[in-house]
Amino acid sequence: MRILLAPMEGLLDFRLRNLLTRVGGYDECVSEFIRVNDTLLPSHRFYRYVPELYENCRTKSGVPVKVQLLGSDINCMAENASKVASLGAYGIDINFGCPAPTVNRNRGGAALLKEPDIMFAIVKAVRSAVPSAIPVTAKMRLGYDSTEQALVCAKALEEGGAEEIVVHARTKTDGYKPPAYWDWIYKIGSTVKVPVVANGEIWTAEDAKRCKEVSGCKDIMIGRGAVANPSLALMIREKRKEKLSWEEIKKILFQYWLNLETEMEIKSRAGRIKQWLHYLCRQYPEAERDFEIVKRLTNIEDFRNYWNIH
């Protein structure tokens, strides 16, 4: 079994990738999407989103990171894939799943699930532009507002040259509302010959087991579940029976704050911490209490004193 760590726009970035992969249990990560419009992006844009490119495209604990691109301009997607490959990308992943309205209005992410021919053309162009040793994969949802074209879209990705397809088991319209329709992942896996990775609504080790059974997938991707329980991957692998203690989580949160401090203003840092605490509330009752206090803190010393970390 492989466990992939998903990106989460505005939260699960390279800083959090580093911390979560340090806890352990992951085989691979995918970066936050890098938006491609109608131009060849400068190198610093790729390095900003994926500083792991400086380190053989691996986190500090050695977990490889695929660079995810999002866009609808076929030629520009290919050119930018070639560029990031030249910078040392471990792999290229193409986003056909983002449900954000601002992205979809600009014909990106899940909006392209209405255009399987364009999906095919993008993957084919990217695959042709990238050295064969670098894997090209794709992530999709079950459709835009229905599952009507789910199998067509998956076949388009396979025929375009995607070597693996991650399927988030909901439509764009479903957003992140439960349930996830894992049975549809099984249908997709039965239709294509390339490996399929199951994603969506995996919050516990029990969820992972059921997802694998229903979807027929041996590999899974987790995102929100990993943020809510940083030891989830280890628990899925049965390398831990219990989640990390709240004291251990506090130390990780503090390290995250320190990582943010050098690059973000106080308001933005506090926003990131609050987002993470929001997810931690699902697994840790202490997080709700700390959320109410942390949201009023404004500097590093207050934060250090509250967590009682020295």
Side-chain angles (χ1 to χ4, degrees):
M1 175 181 59
R2 292 160 60 235
I3 300 178
L4 283 62
L5 180 62
M8 289 173 61
E9 181 70 10
L11 178 61
L12 212 171
D13 60 1
F14 66 90
R15 306 171 189 88
L16 200 42
R17 280 198 297 274
N18 177 44
L19 292 171
L20 293 178
T21 55
R22 190 181 299 174
V23 173
Y26 296 99
D27 297 285
E28 188 177 290
C29 305
V30 178
S31 77
E32 293 177 288
F33 68 76
I34 300 171
R35 192 188 303 253
V36 174
N37 291 318
D38 56 358
T39 186
L40 181 61
L41 297 173
S43 298
H44 69 78
R45 181 77 62 86
F46 296 111
Y47 286 121
R48 187 176 77 195
Y49 280 89
V50 193
E52 294 98 337
L53 285 164
Y54 289 115
E55 303 293 337
N56 200 27
C57 219
R58 281 162 169 72
T59 67
K60 291 179 181 178
S61 51
V63 179
V65 182
K66 283 181 181 170
V67 180
Q68 189 178 82
L69 302 179
L70 178 151
S72 57
D73 185 307
I74 298 165
N75 291 331
C76 275
M77 286 288 284
E79 289 173 0
N80 280 279
S82 177
K83 173 75 171 284
V84 74
S86 73
L87 299 179
Y90 162 78
I92 308 293
D93 188 66
I94 307 173
N95 184 318
F96 296 110
C98 178
T102 52
V103 169
N104 297 161
R105 279 196 297 271
N106 290 288
R107 204 174 170 223
L112 290 172
L113 293 167
K114 296 184 285 187
E115 302 182 74
D117 290 347
I118 300 299
M119 295 171 66
F120 165 82
I122 290 172
V123 175
K124 184 175 176 60
V126 168
R127 178 65 281 174
S128 298
V130 171
S132 59
I134 297 178
V136 172
T137 60
K139 185 175 183 182
M140 62 174 280
R141 283 179 172 249
L142 299 180
Y144 190 80
D145 51 14
S146 77
T147 57
E148 185 177 349
Q149 294 200 89
L151 303 183
V152 174
C153 288
K155 286 296 291 181
L157 297 178
E158 178 186 38
E159 291 169 3
E163 296 165 45
E164 180 175 84
I165 303 171
V166 177
V167 180
H168 183 106
R170 285 179 273 233
T171 66
K172 182 272 179 193
T173 305
D174 291 331
Y176 294 97
K177 299 189 299 287
Y181 301 96
W182 297 328
D183 56 315
W184 264 99
I185 302 180
Y186 178 83
K187 294 176 186 178
I188 290 170
S190 301
T191 301
V192 300
K193 295 182 175 63
V194 297
V196 173
V197 179
N199 173 234
E201 213 61 23
I202 301 173
W203 296 96
T204 66
E206 291 73 24
D207 289 340
K209 182 179 179 181
R210 281 195 307 111
C211 176
K212 289 174 64 181
E213 290 171 352
V214 174
S215 70
C217 295
K218 67 174 184 176
D219 301 330
I220 60 173
M221 173 180 276
I222 55 178
R224 294 182 302 155
V227 174
N229 177 4
S231 50
L232 178 58
L234 293 176
M235 295 175 73
I236 291 170
R237 293 187 184 282
E238 299 183 346
K239 292 187 176 181
R240 282 189 69 101
K241 291 185 177 180
E242 302 292 335
K243 63 181 184 286
L244 294 170
S245 70
W246 185 241
E247 288 303 312
E248 291 172 304
I249 293 294
K250 283 166 62 176
K251 291 178 181 178
I252 296 173
L253 279 163
F254 183 69
Q255 185 59 53
Y256 185 53
W257 178 275
L258 290 179
N259 293 344
L260 293 171
E261 190 182 26
T262 59
E263 302 172 41
M264 287 187 182
E265 61 181 17
I266 289 173
K267 184 177 179 181
S268 298
R269 297 201 302 269
R272 290 290 182 100
I273 291 291
K274 285 189 286 185
Q275 280 188 75
W276 195 359
L277 283 167
H278 168 73
Y279 282 104
L280 287 166
C281 287
R282 291 184 66 109
Q283 292 285 335
Y284 295 91
E286 302 95 333
E288 191 167 351
R289 174 202 65 204
D290 289 340
F291 175 85
E292 293 301 318
I293 297 171
V294 167
K295 70 181 184 182
R296 293 190 291 270
L297 302 183
T298 59
N299 63 65
I300 188 63
E301 287 308 316
D302 289 343
F303 198 81
R304 187 191 301 272
N305 291 336
Y306 178 70
W307 293 117
N308 194 28
I309 295 173
H310 303 286

